């Protein structure tokens, strides 16, 4: 749940988290969307490829919004390939999309594990806190940095050992980092400034 703006009497509405998971490295990319439609997912997908690059192969469940976007992308690709001037530019952007069977989330166990990791801890870190759309998007980037900083190999045992490899190394060449902030007091009633709320949520999520 999130709210459009600050102030008293503002109604909360439901939002959705779009999760992209790299099957090779386990790196995650999180996008916050306001509605569960093909258009909203297409916009989130555009933001994803603009920052992370094109994907050769995509896997997802058989949700109607995913199917609608795949059809739209396929039709756009065909139109682009019919134009000689654009053919070379889009030659390598053809995305192969694979869908699992309907009502079979166990077939996507790899990314469902990532979703569970985010969902379980984020619900407890947020508690009853209501954030705006912008604040929620910021929290998701903080969560994304935490998840992409987790080691995917054995941790070093001495100071002379190499650093542990993380998904962040495959994205930016080092573990994902967020801006340092002083340790907050958790979810007390004295967190007046909104940035302190976001910082406290991130610290709570990282501890969990």
């Amino acid at each position: 749940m999130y709210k459009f703006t600050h102030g008293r009497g503002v109604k909360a509405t439901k939002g959705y988290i779009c999760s992209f998971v790299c099957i090779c490295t386990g790196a995650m990319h999180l996008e916050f969307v306001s509605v569960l439609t093909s258009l909203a997912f297409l916009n989130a997908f555009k933001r994803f490829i603009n920052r992370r690059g094109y994907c050769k192969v995509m896997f997802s469940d058989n949700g109607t919004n995913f199917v609608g976007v795949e059809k739209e992308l396929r039709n756009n690709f065909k139109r682009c390939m019919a134009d000689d001037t654009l053919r070379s530019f889009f030659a390598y952007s053809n995305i192969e999309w694979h869908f699992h069977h309907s009502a079979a989330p166990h077939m996507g166990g790899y990314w469902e594990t990532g979703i569970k990791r985010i969902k379980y801890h984020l619900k407890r870190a947020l508690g009853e806190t209501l954030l705006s759309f912008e604040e929620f998007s910021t929290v998701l980037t903080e969560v994304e940095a935490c998840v992409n900083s987790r080691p995917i190999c054995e941790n070093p045992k001495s100071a002379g050992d190499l650093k542990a490899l993380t998904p962040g190394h495959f994205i930016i060449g080092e573990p994902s980092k967020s801006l340092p902030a002083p340790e907050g007091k958790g979810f007390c009633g004295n967190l007046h400034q909104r940035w302190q709320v976001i910082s406290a949520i991130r610290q709570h999520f990282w501890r969990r």
Side-chain angles (χ1 to χ4, degrees):
M1 302 298 291
Y2 76 99
K3 55 186 180 181
F4 287 108
T5 184
H6 301 295
R8 295 182 179 180
V10 178
K11 292 185 178 180
T13 185
K14 186 181 289 187
Y16 301 88
I17 300 173
C18 182
S19 173
F20 299 92
V21 184
C22 175
I23 296 180
C24 295
T25 65
M28 296 191 73
H29 178 96
L30 304 177
E31 290 285 346
F32 192 54
V33 293
S34 57
V35 289
L36 198 64
T37 62
S38 294
L39 181 59
F41 173 69
L42 182 59
N43 289 329
F45 186 70
K46 285 180 179 179
R47 294 194 295 270
F48 166 68
I49 62 176
N50 286 339
R51 286 185 284 184
R52 305 298 186 191
Y54 283 98
C55 296
K56 189 66 179 173
V57 182
M58 291 284 294
F59 295 90
S60 71
D61 58 30
N62 208 7
T64 55
N65 50 345
F66 298 139
V67 174
V69 167
E70 190 273 340
K71 182 179 179 181
E72 184 69 22
L73 289 174
R74 188 171 65 248
N75 292 336
N76 288 340
F77 181 78
K78 289 179 179 178
R79 286 195 295 268
C80 290
M81 294 305 290
D83 189 339
D84 293 335
T85 58
L86 297 176
R87 187 175 297 144
S88 59
F89 180 78
F90 285 97
Y92 299 102
S93 62
N94 190 15
I95 300 172
E96 185 181 345
W97 209 300
H98 298 274
F99 295 104
H100 291 314
H101 297 293
S102 301
H106 61 280
M107 298 186 70
Y110 187 82
W111 59 79
E112 291 291 346
T113 301
I115 293 171
K116 180 182 178 181
R117 183 187 302 118
I118 298 297
K119 199 173 179 180
Y120 181 86
H121 297 306
L122 188 58
K123 284 176 68 177
R124 285 153 182 79
L126 285 173
E128 300 297 324
T129 307
L130 275 179
L131 302 176
S132 67
F133 188 93
E134 185 180 47
E135 291 168 341
F136 216 122
S137 299
T138 304
V139 166
L140 285 186
T141 60
E142 300 274 12
V143 169
E144 181 184 296
C146 290
V147 173
N148 289 335
S149 297
R150 72 193 190 282
I152 56 178
C153 64
E154 187 176 0
N155 276 319
K157 296 181 179 179
S158 66
D161 293 341
L162 296 175
K163 293 182 179 180
L165 190 65
T166 69
H169 283 91
F170 295 94
I171 301 175
I172 60 174
E174 62 179 353
S176 300
K177 300 174 182 176
S178 58
L179 292 174
E183 189 71 20
K185 298 181 179 179
F187 296 98
C188 305
N190 60 352
L191 293 177
H192 297 298
Q193 297 182 355
R194 303 301 298 180
W195 70 268
Q196 288 182 312
V197 176
I198 295 174
S199 178
I201 292 171
R202 176 184 61 81
Q203 291 165 5
H204 188 185
F205 184 91
W206 179 244
R207 284 195 297 268
R208 296 188 68 88

